[in-house]
Amino acid sequence: GENHASTAMTHNNIGEVFLLQGEVTAALEKLQQALLVFKKTIGENHSLSGYITCTMAMAYQRQAQFSLAEEWYAKALAIQRAAVGEVHPETARTLYNMGLLHL
């Protein structure tokens, strides 16, 4: 169904494909759908919600919306630190991307 974690992952995957194709607006739409479903099903503080939040930050960065990207990276980092800890690949992914934002 529409409000299932598997559906959220499908929205996320489509969003990531759009992002790779440079279709950032379409990517953000799909990522937002995924995040809404995850908030309902697994909670906004789950590591998967953090993953999608980081991907949304990457999309905003692609649009040169750097302040918005930084805000979303900060949200993702807080979620990931709480969900999986400081020493985890997803936390490292967010920190890496935050670093790229400041290059």
Side-chain angles (χ1 to χ4, degrees), residues 15 19 23-25 27-28 31 53-65 69 73:
L19 192 57
E23 298 179 38
V24 180
T25 302
L28 281 167
L31 294 168
T53 301
C54 181
T55 307
M56 287 183 67
M58 293 167 59
Y60 288 125
Q61 186 173 353
R62 288 254 180 103
Q63 287 183 324
Q65 296 188 53
Y73 280 134

Side-chain angles (χ1 to χ4, degrees), residues 29-95:
E29 182 179 309
K30 284 303 196 181
L31 294 168
Q32 287 170 343
Q33 287 176 323
L35 195 54
L36 284 173
V37 174
F38 272 147
K39 284 181 178 182
K40 293 177 187 176
T41 58
I42 61 175
E44 65 183 311
N45 293 319
H46 190 280
S47 62
L48 287 173
S49 296
Y51 178 88
I52 293 172
T53 301
C54 181
T55 307
M56 287 183 67
M58 293 167 59
Y60 288 125
Q61 186 173 353
R62 288 254 180 103
Q63 287 183 324
Q65 296 188 53
F66 301 119
S67 294
L68 200 51
E70 188 167 21
E71 179 183 322
W72 281 84
Y73 280 134
K75 288 179 191 180
L77 187 59
I79 293 167
Q80 291 160 340
R81 282 180 168 157
V84 296
E86 189 69 36
V87 182
H88 189 276
E90 289 307 318
T91 307
R93 173 183 178 248
T94 299
L95 288 168

